[in-house]
Structure formats: structure tokens, C-alpha cells
Amino acid sequence: MNKVPMTIQGEQRLREELKQIAADGFAIDREEITRGLICIAAPVFGVDGSIAGAMSCTFPSYVFDNKSMDEEIRTITLHARAASGAAPDIA
């Protein structure tokens, strides 16, 4: 795989990132694969509670130059919860 400047490198850094993703309940790809693109993803759980898939959305990075991702994170996690059969958290 080709690396770009934001690619996570090193096992320890990857483990830290995965731990943070588990705690947050969503992941953000900050131009780690393709320059100029940011992806926000959240897990979709099956009836047995295991991860069955994910829901994600990709944005051009300039969209977040002067604003936070909070609204987009909330929307993606809300829909992933709904797809999992969970009651939506409207907070």
C-alpha cells in the first residue's frame, strides 16, 4: 500500500488509534489513505451484537477547514445505530 503523509505508521501508533476508535464508537480517516479526503465511519451491529458492517461517509477535507466534524459524526453514528436496530440517541 502506498503511504501518504498522514498514514498511521508503526504498530504502537495503530494500537493507540484502534483503542481510541473503540472508546469513541466511530473512526475518522484524516487523509490517511488519499490526500484531500476524510472519511467518518461507525459500526453496524448484528442481532448477536457482533460487528456486521459499517456505515461511512467521505468528504473533501476542505469542508472541515473552518468547522468541526461534530454534526457529521453525530449523523453517521445515529444512522449506524438505527441500522443496528438500536433506538436512536438524539442528544
Side-chain angles (χ1 to χ4, degrees):
M1 176 190 336
N2 293 333
K3 294 179 183 175
V4 296
M6 298 297 289
T7 300
I8 295 172
Q9 297 183 36
E11 183 179 343
Q12 182 60 35
R13 177 66 190 107
L14 179 59
R15 288 185 186 282
E16 291 167 2
E17 182 74 10
L18 292 172
K19 186 176 181 180
Q20 188 64 52
I21 290 166
D24 292 341
F26 61 87
I28 301 174
D29 168 355
R30 295 175 178 88
E31 301 182 85
E32 294 158 24
I33 297 174
T34 304
R35 281 184 237 179
L37 295 179
I38 292 175
C39 179
I40 302 169
V44 174
F45 295 95
V47 295
D48 64 355
S50 65
I51 295 176
M55 190 169 290
S56 68
C57 193
T58 302
F59 305 88
S61 58
Y62 70 82
V63 169
F64 301 109
D65 283 350
N66 297 309
K67 72 176 229 130
S68 105
M69 298 179 205
D70 292 347
E71 182 178 342
E72 290 78 6
I73 291 168
R74 183 183 160 281
T75 300
I76 292 163
T77 56
L78 177 81
H79 289 286
R81 283 179 49 82
S84 298
D89 181 7
I90 307 296

